[in-house]
Each structure stands twice: as C-alpha cells, then as structure tokens.
C-alpha cells in the first residue's frame, strides 16, 4: 500500500469523544500535528471535580505506554508529560505472593532494574489533561469535523453507531467475578507493607491484590465471584472470611475499617469487549476500551489503549496523514493485537489466582518490549508445547532409568507396580495437556 500525499491549507478538525486516559493522550498527539482538537466528555471536568466518578482500580503502567509515547514525543511536550507521570508513580519490581499462612515470596517481573509503575488513575488523567493548549472542553453545539475518535469507554456511544452498520463484528462477555476496593492505611507514617511490590493473595477461585500509593496507603482490590460476595452479609462474616483467607491483611487494613468498607459499595462488574473493524471510512475510529475493553488481570488495559495512540500516530507518519488509508491500516494492525490481549487478560486471571506460585509461570511472562500482543501469544503457546514435551521426555527418561535400577535391584513388586502406574499416568496426563 503506497502512501498518498495529502496537502491542504485548511486546518483539519478532530473531535475526540471521551476525556479519559486514551482520549486525553490522543488529543495531545493530534494537537501536536497541528489539528484543531475538541474533546467531548459527558462527566464533570476531572481537573476541578471534588469527587471523581468512574472506575478506580489502580493502574499498572508498563514500558509499552510511556516508552512508545516518549519515542513519538521527539523530546517535546508529550515526552515531558510522561516523564512527569513516571516521577509520580511507584515502581514495583516484583510480585509479592502472600500464602494463607502469611508467608511472603517475591517473583520478579523481568530482568534486574525492570519494573512496572503503580499509578493513580485520577491523577494520571489530570496530568494528561493538563496541557491546556492541546485540550479544548466540548460544548453542546453542532460542529463539522474531519474525524471523530471514539475513546468513550467500554459502553461507548460512538461504537453503538457502528452496530447499525453491516459487517461489524461485536461481542461482549461479563465474567462471573466482581471487584471491590479496600484501603490499607499507613502504619506509623510509612507503608504498612513493602511498597515496591504488587502484593497478591492468590486463593484459587478468588484473590486480592494491593498496589502502593504516593500517600503511603495501599489500594487493595478483592476479586471474587458475585455469589461469594453475596454470601457475606454482616461485619462478623467479613472478618470470618478474611481470617480464613487473608488473615495477615486484617491488622493492616483494620478490623473496624474492613467491616465498614466492605459494605460501602457493592461489588463492581467487569466486561471484556471485542469488535472489528475499528473504523468507518475516513470519518471515525475507535480506540481504547471503546474498541477493546479487557478485564484488568494482565495489567495491560491502559497500556494497550496508550499503544493504540502511538500506533495510530506512527501510521499517520507512514501514510502522510491520508485518513482514508490510515484508518484502514490501523484496523488491520491493531485488531489481532487487541483481541490477543483480551484473551491473555482472561487467562492471566487464572494464573494470578491459582498458579502464580508455579515455577512454570516464569516461562509465560510477556517481556518489557513492544512485541505485538498476538506474537507474544504465539510464543507463549510455543513455550507451553516445548515445556510439556520436555517434561514428557525427561519423565520418560526417569522412568527408563528407574526401570533399569529396579531390574538390577528388585524390591517388593507389589509396591513397584503401584508406583510405576502412578508415574506413567502422570506422564500421560502431562503429554496430552
């Protein structure tokens, strides 16, 4: 596909619908290119609001978001903005796994020196909206624009218009688990736990995580099936539940606070959204959760949204801002990656709540790069295949070696038959899994 030169003295107008994280960053990119940008947001201005409404799950900002945006910033305002954001985040170098008996075990994220950032959603949004020369607040008026960019979240009003069109694929899935947030206050003026970790309490069908904040608190998020949330109806039942599964967290959160805050708000739902294509001709495009809402268990929802902005900006360079070509290419490039991260997020919930202590978990990490999500999935599937085949080969070798020793030194045959049968059944299950 050859780029087409588009020349015009008229300043193009872009309407960004949604003033959240992805919408605000998009506005920065378009304004940097010289577009006239209007940002439309149905909620109150987050910069002046006394109470910030909406999702509040803490964010894990990885290299995919700021690194890509800084690279596009050419040392300018966008890059400086991300430097400021990074300075206000708390680096988490590893996961800290809390066992039921209170034992803590760290699992590093990557190589030495690599980390992800714990970032407050509201503060990050305010920072992205701080560039007044980039952002114009929307007004209730009819305007003519060259491009509409739908960044209005998982329940996007812009995406609803896509549903009226033929050959638009769309699916949404609510998972049976909800989430509830609790706060772990500072202890003696400092963090109640080690701050440079993402703390996880994996408990098979449910789990709790805790991310550090700049005010020395931890935001604790309990993920659990709705039916389990609904079983707990009194403060005493809350304490009984936590005593059984998260006993070490009770003195850190505080028993009274725990009984009060558990009932402050009901558990919130989580939805996964997939759709394609992401564009309509050269007039409209979807980005962020409007295009691909994901459950928050891979820590890539925001990063994938930021990467949407970066990839779109790269394609704008590649095709000289010819929107007809750019939007089609953006759909072609991003749909397989965004669908892949949606699937990875679903899978990682199982990993985090059940298998995070497994030594094989380290083989399944996505590295600190901009490797495309769907390529990472292919590598992960290949690793699984290699690992399982390796287990089968090693296990078979162990059986053969053991058989030779048994031949040379025959023990009680009734016991040997039983042990070999168990081992063989295990190897068969590994080889076919």
């Amino acid at each position: 596909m050859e780029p087409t030169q588009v020349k015009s003295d008229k300043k193009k107008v872009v309407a960004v619908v949604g003033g959240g994280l992805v919408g605000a960053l998009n506005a920065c990119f378009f304004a940097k290119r010289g577009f006239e940008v209007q940002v439309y947001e149905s909620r109150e201005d987050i910069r002046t609001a006394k109470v910030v409404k909406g999702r509040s799950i803490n964010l894990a900002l990885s290299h995919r978001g700021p690194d890509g945006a800084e690279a596009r910033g050419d040392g300018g305002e966008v890059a400086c903005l991300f430097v400021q954001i990074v300075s206000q985040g708390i680096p988490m170098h590893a996961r800290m796994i809390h066992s039921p008996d209170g034992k803590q075990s760290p699992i590093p994220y990557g190589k030495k020196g690599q980390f992800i950032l714990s970032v407050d959603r509201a503060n990050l949004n305010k920072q992205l909206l701080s560039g007044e020369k980039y952002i114009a607040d929307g007004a209730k008026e009819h305007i003519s624009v060259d491009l509409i960019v739908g960044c209005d979240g998982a329940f996007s009003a812009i995406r609803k218009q896509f549903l009226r069109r033929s050959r638009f694929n769309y699916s949404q899935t609510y998972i049976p688990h909800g989430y509830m947030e609790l706060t772990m206050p500072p202890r003696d003026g400092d963090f109640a736990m080690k701050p440079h970790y993402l703390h996880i309490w994996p408990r098979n069908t449910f789990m709790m995580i805790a991310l550090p904040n700049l005010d020395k608190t931890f935001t604790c998020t309990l993920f659990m099936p709705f039916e389990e949330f609904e079983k707990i109806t009194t403060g005493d039942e809350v304490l009984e539940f936590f005593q059984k599964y998260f006993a070490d967290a009770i003195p850190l959160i505080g028993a009274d606070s725990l009984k009060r805050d558990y009932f402050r708000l009901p558990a919130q739902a989580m939805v996964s959204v997939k759709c394609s294509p992401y564009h309509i001709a050269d007039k409209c495009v979807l980005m962020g959760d409007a295009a691909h809402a994901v459950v928050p268990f891979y820590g890539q929802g925001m990063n994938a949204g930021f990467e949407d902005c970066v990839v779109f900006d790269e394609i704008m360079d590649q095709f000289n801002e010819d929107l007809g070509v750019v939007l089609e290419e953006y759909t072609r490039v991003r749909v397989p990656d965004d669908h892949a991260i949606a699937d990875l997020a679903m899978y990682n919930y199982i990993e985090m709540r059940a298998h995070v202590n497994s030594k094989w978990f380290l083989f399944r990490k996505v590295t600190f790069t901009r490797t495309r999500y769907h390529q990472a999935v292919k590598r992960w599937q290949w690793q699984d295949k290699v690992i399982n085949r390796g287990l089968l080969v090693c296990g078979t070798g162990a059986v053969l070696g053991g058989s030779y020793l048994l031949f040379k030194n025959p023990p009680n045959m009734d016991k040997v038959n039983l042990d070999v049968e168990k081992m063989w059944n295990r190897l068969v299950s590994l080889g076919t899994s």
Side-chain angles (χ1 to χ4, degrees):
M1 193 179 296
E2 293 295 327
T4 303
Q5 293 287 345
V6 177
K7 296 181 179 180
S8 175
D9 295 332
K10 182 183 176 182
K11 201 171 187 178
K12 290 184 179 179
V13 181
V14 175
V16 176
V17 181
L21 298 171
V22 176
L25 183 59
N26 255 320
C28 292
F29 278 129
F30 279 109
K32 183 175 180 294
R33 287 184 171 277
F35 285 67
E36 181 181 331
V37 182
Q38 293 283 344
V39 177
Y40 292 88
E41 172 58 59
S42 61
R43 294 173 297 182
E44 181 181 3
D45 189 333
I46 194 173
R47 295 165 292 181
T48 57
K50 292 182 179 180
V51 178
V52 178
K53 298 178 181 179
R55 288 177 61 186
S56 56
I57 294 178
N58 273 45
L59 300 166
L61 183 62
S62 80
H63 290 233
R64 301 189 80 99
D67 281 6
E70 282 189 76
R72 303 301 299 158
D74 299 323
E77 294 90 346
V78 177
C80 292
L81 184 58
F82 269 92
V83 170
Q84 185 177 0
I85 290 167
V86 168
S87 70
Q88 296 186 14
I90 298 177
M92 299 181 293
H93 297 274
R95 296 177 175 185
M96 184 65 78
I97 310 305
H98 294 246
S99 65
D101 62 4
K103 181 181 177 182
Q104 298 183 26
S105 305
I107 298 180
Y109 277 111
K111 299 177 182 177
K112 186 177 181 180
Q114 290 182 325
F115 58 86
I116 60 175
L117 282 173
S118 174
V119 181
D120 178 85
R121 179 185 295 270
N123 287 338
L124 176 55
N125 207 159
K126 290 176 184 177
Q127 290 289 339
L128 287 172
L129 287 170
S130 64
E132 289 293 345
K133 71 176 186 177
Y134 287 158
I135 308 298
D137 292 325
K140 292 183 178 180
E141 59 183 4
H142 292 282
I143 64 169
S144 177
V145 301
D146 295 281
L147 178 65
I148 297 173
V149 185
C151 305
D152 49 339
F155 304 100
S156 169
I158 300 299
R159 192 183 62 231
K160 286 181 181 178
Q161 302 307 311
F162 281 55
L163 291 170
R164 299 171 180 268
R165 300 178 63 85
S166 175
R167 299 169 63 192
F168 177 69
N169 300 304
Y170 171 78
S171 68
Q172 72 173 37
T173 303
Y174 281 97
I175 62 173
H177 298 76
Y179 72 91
M180 175 181 291
E181 289 192 339
L182 304 164
T183 300
M184 185 180 292
R187 171 176 283 189
D188 300 325
D190 203 353
F191 288 100
M193 301 185 296
K194 295 179 180 179
H196 297 293
Y197 296 89
L198 193 165
H199 293 261
I200 306 177
W201 291 257
R203 299 296 183 263
N204 293 316
T205 59
F206 52 89
M207 70 173 180
M208 186 169 73
I209 66 173
L211 279 76
N213 301 307
L214 289 175
D215 62 0
K216 304 297 179 67
T217 64
F218 278 90
T219 298
C220 304
T221 309
L222 175 62
F223 298 97
M224 193 162 64
F226 279 101
E227 60 185 27
E228 297 298 329
F229 277 116
E230 293 162 2
K231 288 179 182 177
I232 301 173
T233 58
T234 68
D236 288 340
E237 289 175 348
V238 173
L239 289 183
E240 182 180 348
F241 172 78
F242 268 74
Q243 187 61 49
K244 183 176 180 179
Y245 296 107
F246 312 111
D248 62 328
I250 295 177
L252 302 178
I253 297 175
D256 292 339
S257 297
L258 190 55
K259 289 194 292 184
R260 179 190 67 243
D261 294 346
Y262 186 92
F263 300 102
R264 185 166 51 90
L265 290 172
Q268 303 297 301
M270 290 172 284
V271 65
S272 179
V273 170
K274 292 181 180 180
C275 69
S276 67
Y278 287 167
H279 72 288
I280 297 176
D282 62 346
K283 300 301 182 187
C284 188
V285 65
L286 301 174
M287 295 194 197
D289 283 357
H292 50 81
V294 300
V295 293
F297 304 117
Y298 212 83
Q300 288 293 313
M302 172 188 58
N303 295 301
F306 283 172
E307 196 171 60
D308 286 347
C309 304
V310 173
V311 170
F312 191 88
D313 199 55
E314 291 171 341
I315 296 173
M316 287 280 276
D317 277 348
Q318 183 181 358
F319 296 105
N320 299 307
E321 300 182 3
D322 181 345
L323 294 178
V325 180
V326 168
L327 268 61
E328 183 177 348
E329 178 69 2
Y330 173 76
T331 283
R332 187 191 70 80
V333 170
R334 286 306 284 173
V335 166
D337 289 335
D338 292 334
H339 287 188
I341 193 57
D343 294 337
L344 276 174
M346 285 289 198
Y347 175 80
N348 205 47
Y349 180 50
I350 299 171
E351 284 283 358
M352 290 179 74
R353 72 189 188 188
H355 304 307
V356 76
N357 286 312
S358 168
K359 60 185 178 181
W360 306 117
F361 177 81
L362 295 175
F363 287 91
R364 297 169 174 159
K365 293 185 300 183
V366 172
T367 57
F368 288 73
T369 66
R370 277 190 63 195
T371 300
R372 293 183 62 184
Y373 289 123
H374 81 279
Q375 292 173 347
V377 170
K378 288 181 179 178
R379 293 179 187 178
W380 163 55
Q381 291 170 340
W382 177 83
Q383 285 176 334
D384 264 1
K385 193 175 294 185
V386 169
I387 289 168
N388 286 332
R389 286 178 179 175
L391 283 172
L392 182 59
V393 170
C394 293
T396 303
V399 170
L400 293 175
S403 299
Y404 174 76
L405 291 175
L406 289 172
F407 176 77
K408 298 292 288 184
N409 303 284
N412 182 294
M413 292 309 297
D414 290 337
K415 185 177 185 301
V416 169
N417 288 338
L418 180 61
D419 289 344
V420 171
E421 181 180 1
K422 287 182 178 178
M423 187 179 293
W424 181 252
N425 287 338
R426 173 60 177 156
L427 289 172
V428 171
S429 67
L430 286 172
T432 56
S433 61

